[in-house]
């Protein structure tokens, strides 16, 4: 039922003020031949009780993390979200306001944006951050577009095969129709070979895109790759896992020109993939090329410090057909969540989260590798994910069986990497306990046995 | 009553040694970090984030929030943004663990409830649009535009392969269109060409005819347009576009005016996006999230991004194997959380309710228009759809009072300002969209304030706002100095 | 920025025909109401409640909320109320369906998790109090006092049956005690007798001795007392009371000072209540809910209200069959929701953390005391426990500035006022309890404001507050006219 | 872990400002022989993640309504709570403030109290309401105490046996030690006989206490009982189910002097029994005797309408040893919830809720009565509850079996009414669907069969 106010009496009064005799007449501007002459064919209205009931039933037919122990990763993670994040981001004044077009009544949002931007620069070691993009994937393509326009090189970009395969799909979708070549450097051993990367970079190359840690959880030789990119005048774009920066070198320290990230890990639930948070930070040089909004500091007429949307001449509503980005509504609420999350965590909290992920991931890798029939696909240290090979086994069947046993055990890799058809990706966050991991190992052990027997 | 101490920057509230979070003890092996993490990748120190205790963080952000106007606290007639009430029920529902804690790669068998919801939403959007197929993937309206233009490009590429027709390089947009329209065209690799509006605010057919040709891929129309007017020529426009083999795109930002009354597919559009964060009451979150599902005619369906949700007997599944698809425009499924709320909205309203939404949105806008039009000129007539654009040009000329001055002064009266200086085709534009979730009393109070303001001395207005947390900020200084992050004072 | 239109009374926002809720259609038989409901009980019309749409209700109460100070927004040093930070985690946890949607009469087998929690909470409160048994039933501190006095009465009645001793009719309370102490005594049917304090703020032992006799059932002590002082005589007092066969009750409102440091049971108390909404951070909710669990010595255990939670092997159960129990003091189990938060608090802090709570609460209070004592007299010494009582008597005498004036002026600086005019034994009392969840920066800012205010012209203070939603209300008029509900204007 | 701020450095600075050299010294006032010389014996501290995990596990060992279909009543009901109630009552400014001692910064709470009071008078038809008491049960005893002091009759009160048995327990607990006789009038046929009631009332009787609808869901002859009470100079106290007032006559219309109620139905979840809301309203005459807080209207110095706590001379902190009530912290948050709930419902919403309860209850009574082996204990119309007799059956066993089948099917009555040992109380709210009821009937049917077979 609509939440409208107009009672029949109101309607009468309003119509008479307008000077028409029915609501129908207000639609005179819509020619009758264009009208839908029937009610929409949609299910009937529901009150709140029914709606809640209906959706609860639908929800009950899903198995969320928590109901199953979640070891899924690949860009979306079951990290812990402190209750204060939900509470504060749920404040109506944040939640039901919009883009701060009127800074005098939007200082809450603007200051939060400014704080978010600062936090992201602290986290990444970069000079500047925007106020958000859609998600980690579209942030990668925005970075590529930025690099193309900054370098004036419209010919090609180089991307490592160990970058999230969906992010690479997005690059293809956006760039191929524009005639930009997207050169992918395979990472058959779980990380790219620096020599392969260096070879692919030439003076047509706008940028080199690396993910650190990469899609398999492993580390790329970012120093050398960055040097190779810069040597050829290309920009060095790095996609990071923000949680990893509790422990890993910050991209600003190894020469990244543009840093992008999926910010979901910073205080947002998994939400079946979105809404999430596209993070983008860059060197000062590129600030006026950055897509999306930016809050800047200034003073009001009394000289009081305050914040406004700034550098707007970059934006689509100003540049129109000359724009290099079209983003308008972005992910303000999730930038806010990330700001709250990082404020709560602080340097030490974030480091502890990262350390727990690292330790548990190593423990899990050992435990799973010890299961007969399973092995680690790559002999490399990883951060919070690793790839398991299921010898001769049917990955789909094994994972389905694990689901029945109460585990979202891993992401099968065959759909993106045919050569890894017998592999799956396991992610371990700070929420997983030793017991969770031991039980997963036991479950997979019994699965490999059953499957082995079935095959025998 | 605001607490300015707590509202300092979090960096200024930081003190070494404070903690807002305590993680569990390590319950696995205690090997040294050096063993686990290659030295060349290890940071020397954690990132220099601020250090705060939880109560500090809570007090800080709580106080910050009170510096915003919002729909829950104030009338927010921001034109083109459809700032309607966001029902709390949808928030509670969307937070159910069975909807919120789903991983994008968990097995379809563990997602049947959600996939059903998404499949039904696809169908409902088809019905509302009068089109045939839907992609839920785009992350916002502008993203929907871009996606649709990519779909169009793929469609034309494909067709060109068989017909050999030359490449279509142009996208036409009216001068009254939202900035995202030409920008999307540019990002999709098209040349964006502007089509003039008539003085009455409609597409200038002559100009359109002049610019429309076989290189034209798409004409992007907003209807009702950004002036709040329904362009009756839309069928004719569609015909003209189709004659040239082009496609008509509808910017659906203004769907709040015509739900259940007219369908874009029925009046000639081939593609459109929805803004569920507007029309279907997704909370705006201080600047997002949104979503930008697109609906298209059957001929375009093969090119939609993957995956889409399909129904197979009793089972719902994600269809990835769609060889003509343009691919992905974002990671994972899309802004599912926003889509869940849109589904809730549609199920809450039903066919009759949706129509009543538009009826009341249009009634409210016309009522407000009627109340102010004698004092504030509304150049495009005294009837509108869900919004109207007033102009302060005359007041400006007469008394030096600009749309900006009026907007700022409205803040003092407890009203958020309308959208100002858009659309570009109206001088000193004030674009007012009340939405249907406002009461007559609120509209009366707003109109009264607006009329009162017009009688106030110009100086009062130039100096406005007077009662907000800050007065007008120096935007030039912001842009010039570009201080976009906090730095420790030296 | 407040929206005064939305903040009118809901009755004034009402308009016939508006709806904030739509119930499901009737899905059972459509018999006429007359068949189902006896005519003599049926109302002619539904009650004349206001009619509002949901967005109206939301905007109304959201705006109303912004007219309050609160812990989440402001420093709130309200003495005796322990306005500490309420962790958001506890709210999320308490809202889990497995804790929130439990019916008080569902079968114990379906409540094992909750009963375990409550059983463990009973044990933790025993450990913290140094006493032997706990009842979780009382609904607030005052209710705990009353319950304990009823327990004492039952104990004495029972004992009198065997010993034949005369009825004990008196309860003694110090003049510095909270008003609930004598009131609870009166409601429990005792004569409440006041015991004087010494000029140093402690129990006057001579007066106590004079009033203590074999008719004395209970002496109620608050320790640390309401002056924020620990009364070292408490053991001696306990001995005196016990010599007369009486019981020593401890008002536990000030437990925040001594968690893990000293236990009432160890210093002689026989009974006490906790205020979990204070000490264990239950949100105060604008005036409740609270809870008032009581702890008692083993000899009093049989008289506690029923049920209590017992453990039986692996199983937790409610014990009802307790023949000496006083019975019930409220319906159902008690304020379970508050108890769940108390449990969360205790598990969050652990033994070391609880001690640190008290250490820092005392540190903060002493620091603030040290900062202000040179300017604002603190009659009871320059050291305190978790709170202290300053006096504006001198300022009042010299400049006509009262504790009330200072309190009101503090509001302008973004601080909630301390408790004023309590305890009654201090003239122009200002009772300041910072709690441990405030930072040194906040304490510094508060002290600075307080000292600044003391230098302001008296008129500024008499007229304060200046920046709050309203200025000082006319309380006399309120009491005289007693308009305690809205009526439609005639 | 404590959420304290004081860093070691802060502590040093603060100690030096105080002039002591350690925190320990601040506790010099506590004699060492009274100190606990060891750490408390409590479980170790937990961070938020662990705590959440621990409590989630405890919660998972309970079966809430929603997981089981709830037909339990008896004073606590599974009514629908609109999401807006949680959202609004959760606003930090309501949630973390306290009693409005400083009206200038508490107008939010004070106005909400005033609105609540007005809503309660509208709902009950009484002149005035206070701002809340602990719960429905203690409200009954507060009403009795009020009546005793108002009438000056300390001898006895009369209470119907069909009043909630726990409320009657509370009366005993409070009043018997004071020497007040509590005379209970049995209601063997599901409601009291007016003649029995009238007979019990005499000039020592301070009040007669009735519950409408009564504990069995049935109606008492309130008109006659009220007249009988008044005839003897006793006050007429009525305990109501606020939801029922969507349909039933308001107690103000049939002469009640004091109305009390359990307010949980008005927007508060069941919470295993609390915190709830004690409602109390009365005739004007008694306003200065009402326990608890009251907000009153006045003006500020600029003449603006505003609200303050008023009539405080009634209160314990003023009256101390002369007080007739000791309530201090009460249930402000739940009064707020009730105010929001009633504002959302309005007259028509509340009527619809009541009507759905009534209709579904009748339907359920019919369906259950049609099950072999079950019958209705009383031949009376009821509102949202009714009593089922289980012929020769073991009520506990049947209900336990129903629990296993997914139903909280009813409250056994034997613990309070020995003569109803073979009976249980069933409550049906607007949340129950026809399907829920049909399935309950089917479940009980199969139970009675099984039990019958077992007995055979
Ligand atoms: C007319 C119009 N078109 C397109 C858009 C872009 O939508 P979004 O902001 O969701 O990307 C907007 C939003 O402001 C709009 O008003
Ligand atoms: C010292 C003291 N005793 C008792 C009480 C009464 O506790 P409650 O308000 O929880 O009933 C209070 C509360 O204000 C108090 O400060």
């Amino acid at each position: 039922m609509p939440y409208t106010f107009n009672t029949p009496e109101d309607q009468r009064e309003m119509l008479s003020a307008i000077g028409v005799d029915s609501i129908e007449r207000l639609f005179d501007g819509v020619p009758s031949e264009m009208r839908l002459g029937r009610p929409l064919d949609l299910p009937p209205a529901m009150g709140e009780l029914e709606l809640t009931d209906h959706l609860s039933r639908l929800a009950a037919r899903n198995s969320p993390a928590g109901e199953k122990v979640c070891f899924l990763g690949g860009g979306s993670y079951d990290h812990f979200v402190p209750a204060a994040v939900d509470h504060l981001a749920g404040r109506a004044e944040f939640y039901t306001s919009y883009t701060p077009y009127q800074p005098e009544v939007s200082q809450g949002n603007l200051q939060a944006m400014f704080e978010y931007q600062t936090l992201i620069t602290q986290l990444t070691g970069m000079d500047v951050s925007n106020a958000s993009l859609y998600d980690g994937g579209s942030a990668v393509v925005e970075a590529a577009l930025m690099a193309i326009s900054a370098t004036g090189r419209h010919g090609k970009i180089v991307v490592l095969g160990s970058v999230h395969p969906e992010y690479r799909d997005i690059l293809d979708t956006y760039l191929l129709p524009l005639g930009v070549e997207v050169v992918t450097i395979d990472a058959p051993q779980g990380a790219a070979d620096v020599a392969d990367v260096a070879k692919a970079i030439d003076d047509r190359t706008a940028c080199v895109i690396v993910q650190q840690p990469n899609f398999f959880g492993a580390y790329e030789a970012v120093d050398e790759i960055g040097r190779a990119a810069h040597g050829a005048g290309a920009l060095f774009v790095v996609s990071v896992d923000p949680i990893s920066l509790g422990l890993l070198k910050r991209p600003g320290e190894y020469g990244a020109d543009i840093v992008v990230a999926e910010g979901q890990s910073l205080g947002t639930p998994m939400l079946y993939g979105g809404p999430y948070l596209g993070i983008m930070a860059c060197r000062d040089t590129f600030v006026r090329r950055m897509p999306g909004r930016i809050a800047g500091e200034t003073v009001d007429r009394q000289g009081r410090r305050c914040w406004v949307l700034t550098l707007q001449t970059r934006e689509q509503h100003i540049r129109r057909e000359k724009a290099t980005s079209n983003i308008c509504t972005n992910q303000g609420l999730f930038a806010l969540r990330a700001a709250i999350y990082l404020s709560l965590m602080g340097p030490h909290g974030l480091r502890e989260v990262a350390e727990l992920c690292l330790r548990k991931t190593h423990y899990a890798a050992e435990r799973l590798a010890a299961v007969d029939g399973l092995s680690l696909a790559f002999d490399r240290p990883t951060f919070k994910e690793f790839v398991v090979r299921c010898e001769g086994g049917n990955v789909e069947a094994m994972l389905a069986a694990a689901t029945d046993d109460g585990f979202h055990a891993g992401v099968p890799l065959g759909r993106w990497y045919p050569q890894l058809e017998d592999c799956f990706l396991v992610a371990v966050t700070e929420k997983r306990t030793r017991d969770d991991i031991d039980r997963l190992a036991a479950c997979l052990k019994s699965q490999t046995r059953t499957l082995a027997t079935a095959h025998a | 009553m605001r607490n300015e101490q707590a509202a300092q920057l979090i960096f200024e509230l930081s003190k070494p040694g404070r903690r807002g979070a305590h993680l569990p003890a390590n319950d696995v092996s205690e090997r040294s970090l050096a063993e686990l993490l290659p030295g060349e990748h290890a940071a020397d120190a954690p990132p220099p984030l601020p250090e705060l205790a939880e109560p500090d963080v809570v007090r800080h952000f709580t106080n910050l929030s009170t510096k915003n106007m919002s729909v829950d606290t104030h009338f927010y007639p921001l034109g083109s943004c459809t700032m309607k009430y966001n029902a709390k029920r949808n928030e509670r529902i969307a937070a159910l663990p069975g909807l919120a804690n789903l991983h994008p790669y968990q097995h379809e068998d563990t997602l049947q409830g959600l996939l059903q919801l998404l499949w039904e939403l696809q169908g409902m959007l088809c019905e509302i649009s009068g089109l045939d197929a839907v992609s839920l993937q785009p992350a916002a309206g502008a993203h929907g535009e871009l996606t649709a233009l990519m779909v169009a490009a793929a469609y034309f590429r494909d067709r060109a392969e068989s017909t050999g027709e030359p490449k279509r390089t142009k996208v036409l947009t009216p001068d009254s269109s939202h900035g995202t329209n030409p920008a999307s065209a540019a990002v999709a690799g098209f040349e964006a060409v502007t089509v003039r509006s008539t003085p009455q605010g409609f597409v200038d057919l002559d100009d359109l005819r002049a610019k429309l040709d076989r290189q034209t891929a798409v004409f992007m129309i907003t209807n009702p347009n950004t002036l709040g007017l329904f362009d009756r020529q839309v069928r004719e426009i569609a015909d003209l576009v189709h004659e040239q083999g082009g496609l008509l795109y509808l910017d659906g930002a203004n769907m709040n005016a015509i739900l259940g009354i007219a369908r874009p597919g029925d009046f000639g559009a081939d593609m459109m996006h929805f803004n569920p964060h507007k029309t279907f009451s997704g909370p705006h979150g201080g600047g997002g999230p949104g979503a930008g599902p697109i609906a298209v005619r059957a001929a375009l369906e093969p090119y939609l991004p993957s995956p889409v949700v399909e129904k197979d007997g009793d089972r719902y599944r994600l269809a990835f194997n769609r060889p003509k698809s343009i691919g992905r425009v974002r990671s994972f499924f899309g802004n599912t959380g926003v889509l869940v709320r849109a589904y809730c909205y549609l199920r809450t309203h039903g066919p009759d309710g949706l129509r009543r939404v538009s009826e009341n949105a249009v009634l409210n806008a016309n009522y407000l228009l009627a109340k102010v039009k004698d004092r504030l000129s509304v150049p495009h007539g005294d009837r509108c759809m869900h919004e109207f654009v007033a102009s302060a040009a005359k007041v400006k000329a007469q008394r030096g009072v600009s749309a900006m001055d009026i907007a700022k002064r409205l803040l003092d009266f407890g009203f958020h300002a309308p959208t100002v200086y858009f659309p570009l085709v109206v001088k000193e534009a004030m674009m007012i969209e009340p939405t249907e979730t406002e009461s007559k009393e609120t509209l009366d109070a707003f109109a009264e304030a607006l009329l009162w303001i017009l009688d106030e001395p110009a100086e009062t207005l130039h100096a406005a706002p007077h009662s907000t947390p800050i007065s007008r900020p120096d935007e030039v200084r912001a842009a010039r100095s570009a201080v976009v992050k906090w730095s420790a004072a030296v």
Side-chain angles (χ1 to χ4, degrees), chain A, chain B:
Chain A
M1 326 273 168
Y3 335 103
T4 50
F5 287 85
N6 298 329
T7 62
E9 194 191 311
D10 282 340
Q11 293 194 346
R12 266 193 305 279
E13 284 174 37
M14 293 166 81
L15 288 169
S16 106
I18 298 167
V20 296
D21 55 15
S22 73
I23 288 187
E24 208 39 43
R25 301 298 311 273
L26 298 175
F27 290 90
D28 281 354
V30 184
S32 59
E33 69 277 14
M34 297 186 201
R35 303 278 194 98
L36 180 69
R38 57 163 177 86
L40 286 168
D41 181 16
L42 296 176
M46 287 181 175
E48 180 175 357
L49 195 172
E50 283 169 292
L51 181 77
T52 306
D53 213 53
H54 169 60
L55 270 291
S56 301
R57 280 167 212 270
L58 287 178
R61 291 176 44 224
N62 305 319
S63 307
E67 203 175 297
K68 310 245 180 234
V69 185
C70 183
F71 287 96
L72 305 182
S76 174
Y77 302 95
D78 187 24
H79 283 292
F80 185 71
V81 180
V85 176
D86 284 337
H87 174 80
L88 294 170
R91 291 274 307 171
E93 297 92 330
F94 287 131
Y95 210 80
T96 71
S97 58
Y98 199 27
T99 311
Y101 295 121
Q102 297 293 337
E104 297 86 349
V105 293
S106 309
Q107 285 298 301
N109 286 329
L110 283 160
Q111 184 176 338
M113 282 166 70
F114 185 79
E115 292 179 341
Y116 165 82
Q117 291 165 193
T118 306
L119 289 161
I120 295 301
T121 61
Q122 294 175 337
L123 188 66
T124 57
M126 303 301 287
D127 297 326
V128 290
S129 163
N130 76 359
S132 85
L133 295 172
Y134 298 137
D135 71 329
S138 62
V140 167
V141 78
E142 291 281 3
L145 291 170
M146 238 175 106
I148 289 168
S149 96
T151 58
R153 295 177 175 184
H154 297 261
K156 87 176 198 196
I157 64 160
V158 171
V159 56
L160 271 58
S162 56
V163 167
H164 195 304
E166 292 191 355
Y167 298 4
R168 290 185 288 113
D169 278 357
I170 302 168
L171 285 171
D172 288 348
T173 306
Y174 275 65
L175 299 183
L176 298 187
L178 302 181
V180 180
E181 193 187 343
V182 178
V183 176
T184 307
I185 311 299
D186 278 353
Q189 302 311 317
D193 185 319
V194 179
D196 293 349
V197 183
K199 239 183 307 178
I201 310 174
D202 57 25
D203 60 6
R204 286 170 56 240
T205 307
C207 64
V208 180
I209 305 178
V210 174
Q211 180 173 324
Q212 177 80 333
N214 71 21
F215 188 67
F216 308 118
Y219 307 101
E220 298 291 348
V222 282
D223 289 297
E224 285 108 310
I225 297 174
R227 273 197 298 273
H230 289 155
L235 298 193
F236 183 35
V237 175
V238 185
S239 171
V240 295
D241 170 358
I243 295 292
S244 73
L245 298 177
L247 276 176
L248 299 193
K249 265 200 194 129
R250 300 184 295 160
E253 293 164 22
Y254 52 79
D257 297 296
I258 307 173
V259 173
V260 290
E262 173 51 69
Q264 177 265 334
S265 294
L266 304 177
T268 291
M270 297 189 293
L271 300 172
Y272 193 61
Y276 282 0
L277 167 65
I279 291 174
M280 174 178 274
C282 65
R283 290 202 283 123
D284 259 339
T285 342
F286 305 118
V287 62
R288 280 164 211 271
R289 293 187 187 278
M290 253 202 301
R293 305 216 159 95
I294 300 180
E297 188 171 304
T298 185
V299 293
D300 76 355
R301 290 190 178 169
Q302 280 76 47
R304 289 174 292 198
R305 178 172 67 171
C306 61
W307 293 274
V308 291
L309 290 181
T310 194
L311 305 180
Q312 296 196 64
T313 45
R314 302 164 305 113
E315 283 203 50
Q316 36 69 21
H317 66 275
I318 309 288
R319 292 183 45 90
R320 295 183 69 88
E321 54 281 345
K322 288 180 289 296
T324 50
S325 167
N326 70 333
I327 188 167
C328 178
T329 296
N330 50 102
Q331 304 292 116
L333 188 68
F334 299 91
L336 174 67
R337 293 182 74 96
I340 299 166
Y341 179 86
L342 289 170
S343 302
L344 286 169
M345 287 295 148
H348 306 295
L350 191 71
R351 170 157 229 141
E352 282 176 14
V353 173
E355 203 176 310
L356 287 172
C357 292
L358 178 73
R359 290 187 181 282
K360 287 171 197 252
T361 298
H362 277 252
Y363 179 75
E366 274 168 30
R367 294 301 313 257
L368 265 57
V371 172
D372 258 358
L374 299 185
S375 63
L376 299 182
F378 307 118
D379 180 24
R380 293 186 170 277
T382 66
F383 173 61
K384 79 178 180 200
E385 281 165 290
F386 57 92
V387 178
V388 177
R389 173 160 280 130
C390 176
E391 283 151 31
N394 177 338
V395 170
E396 289 283 351
M398 159 171 260
L399 294 176
T403 306
D404 293 342
D405 282 0
F407 297 93
H408 291 312
V411 179
L413 293 177
R415 61 174 114 165
W416 297 302
Y417 299 96
Q419 74 280 20
L420 299 178
E421 209 174 3
D422 55 352
C423 293
F424 59 97
L425 184 68
V426 176
V428 191
T429 70
E430 77 282 9
K431 283 175 79 175
R432 299 289 77 80
T433 61
R434 180 188 196 121
D435 181 54
D436 289 338
I437 297 167
D438 291 346
R439 288 190 301 114
L440 174 68
C443 156
L444 294 182
K445 190 165 168 180
S446 82
Q447 293 313 327
T448 50
R449 277 222 198 99
T450 321
L451 294 172
T453 324
H455 281 262
Chain B
M1 256 171 56
R2 217 159 277 118
N3 179 343
E4 292 301 339
Q5 192 200 7
Q8 291 175 78
L9 288 166
I10 37 171
F11 314 102
E12 296 159 347
L13 296 169
S14 166
K15 197 172 244 181
R18 287 197 184 137
R19 294 288 300 254
H22 293 90
L23 278 294
N26 170 27
D27 63 351
V28 296
S29 67
E30 280 293 358
R31 280 201 276 157
S32 80
L33 274 186
E35 262 183 89
L36 304 176
L37 180 60
E40 72 266 33
H41 298 301
D44 298 333
L49 300 169
E51 300 176 53
L52 297 101
E54 181 172 319
D56 237 349
V57 175
V58 167
R59 198 174 278 167
H60 173 71
F61 284 102
T62 306
N63 274 286
L64 271 200
S65 75
T66 67
K67 299 189 175 196
N68 288 339
M69 280 189 176
S70 64
V71 173
D72 274 9
T73 51
H74 296 85
F75 180 43
Y76 210 123
L78 191 68
S80 207
C81 298
T82 315
M83 301 300 289
K84 63 170 73 177
Y85 172 65
N86 312 132
K88 301 306 162 201
R89 66 195 69 174
N90 300 353
E91 299 311 311
R92 178 157 74 183
I93 287 168
L96 289 171
L99 293 172
N101 297 340
L102 301 175
H103 190 281
Y105 295 143
Q106 65 183 68
H107 196 279
E108 282 168 15
D109 288 350
T110 67
L111 287 170
Q112 287 297 302
L114 179 68
L115 293 178
Q116 177 183 336
L117 181 160
L118 295 169
W119 184 81
E120 287 181 2
L121 180 60
Q122 289 176 177
M124 293 193 279
L125 295 181
C126 285
E127 169 65 7
I128 294 168
S129 62
L131 292 166
D132 306 307
V134 159
S135 167
L136 299 173
Q137 195 172 96
H143 205 218
E145 297 167 17
L146 176 60
T147 306
L149 293 177
M150 288 173 169
V151 164
Y155 163 78
F156 287 120
R157 264 197 312 275
D158 202 15
R159 213 172 58 171
E161 271 179 32
S162 49
T163 65
E165 73 166 16
K167 195 167 170 205
R168 290 183 180 259
T169 55
K170 293 196 298 192
V171 165
L172 275 44
T173 63
D175 54 6
S176 62
S177 74
H178 195 262
T180 53
N181 289 194
S184 297
V187 174
F190 290 102
E191 181 193 350
V193 177
T194 303
V195 175
R196 266 199 309 274
S197 299
T198 64
Q200 291 73 39
F202 299 111
V203 173
D204 182 329
L205 288 193
D206 294 333
D207 196 44
L208 174 61
R209 280 201 199 85
K211 286 168 178 164
L212 200 59
D213 58 18
R214 296 251 142 213
Q215 266 82 62
T216 304
V218 178
F219 180 64
M220 299 179 85
I221 194 171
T222 309
N223 201 22
N225 66 20
T226 58
L227 296 164
L229 305 173
F230 192 90
D231 196 331
R232 318 172 57 101
Q233 315 170 107
V234 61
R235 265 275 173 76
E236 199 178 341
I237 292 169
D239 291 344
L240 289 173
V241 172
H242 292 153
E243 265 165 35
Q244 296 293 337
L247 296 169
L248 183 66
Y249 182 83
L250 181 105
D251 180 329
N254 294 343
M255 283 300 287
N256 213 45
I258 56 168
L259 296 168
I261 288 166
R263 307 193 305 170
D266 294 346
F267 57 68
D270 304 296
M271 318 189 274
M272 71 170 291
H273 77 259
F274 287 92
N275 295 68
H277 46 304
K278 301 178 178 179
T279 317
F280 305 141
S281 86
H284 282 73
I294 57 173
V296 299
R297 287 210 192 283
L300 297 165
E301 185 276 334
Y303 308 95
L304 289 177
S306 284
V308 294
V309 186
E310 289 184 355
K311 185 171 182 185
D312 217 356
D314 276 353
R315 219 171 152 274
Y316 300 89
R317 54 183 212 82
L318 294 171
F320 284 98
N321 188 4
R322 304 176 56 255
K324 297 197 163 185
S325 164
I326 58 165
R328 287 194 159 274
V329 295
R330 59 151 285 167
S331 56
F332 310 124
F333 184 83
N335 277 357
T336 317
V338 179
L339 302 170
V340 167
R341 289 168 178 83
Y343 176 85
C344 290
Y345 186 86
L346 294 173
R347 295 303 307 259
T348 294
H349 285 79
D352 185 52
L354 285 183
R355 196 187 156 98
R356 277 169 56 202
V357 161
S358 288
E359 288 177 354
N360 284 289
V362 170
L363 176 63
N364 278 1
N366 277 287
Y367 178 66
L368 210 44
L369 170 56
K371 293 210 90 167
V372 306
K373 68 170 195 284
D374 293 339
R375 297 290 316 285
L376 198 60
S377 83
V378 180
H380 295 92
D382 50 5
R383 209 71 93 241
C384 64
M385 298 293 285
H386 66 300
E387 64 188 354
F388 64 95
V389 181
S391 168
K394 225 182 283 167
V395 199
K396 177 98 187 268
Q398 289 165 355
R399 305 179 48 221
V401 166
S402 67
M404 184 63 84
D405 294 332
I406 299 171
K408 296 300 181 196
R409 184 65 178 140
L410 278 167
L411 307 176
D412 284 330
F413 286 79
F415 298 107
H416 195 281
T419 296
V420 285
Y421 301 103
F422 176 74
L424 307 178
V425 296
V426 176
K427 283 206 195 111
E428 297 293 324
M430 304 184 64
M431 187 186 205
I432 301 178
E433 181 180 14
T435 87
E436 75 285 1
T437 62
E438 296 293 336
S439 66
K440 177 170 174 299
E441 293 89 319
T442 298
L443 304 181
D444 287 338
F446 177 79
E448 196 187 324
L450 192 58
L451 300 182
W452 172 273
I453 286 170
L454 291 174
D455 287 334
E456 287 190 311
E459 314 79 71
T460 307
L461 305 192
H462 296 322
H466 302 269
S467 61
T468 48
I470 59 160
S471 60
R472 289 194 212 181
D474 184 343
E475 313 224 4
V476 174
R477 172 177 162 146
R480 210 180 40 224
S481 65
V483 176
V484 298
K485 70 174 176 193
W486 173 86
S487 314
V490 263

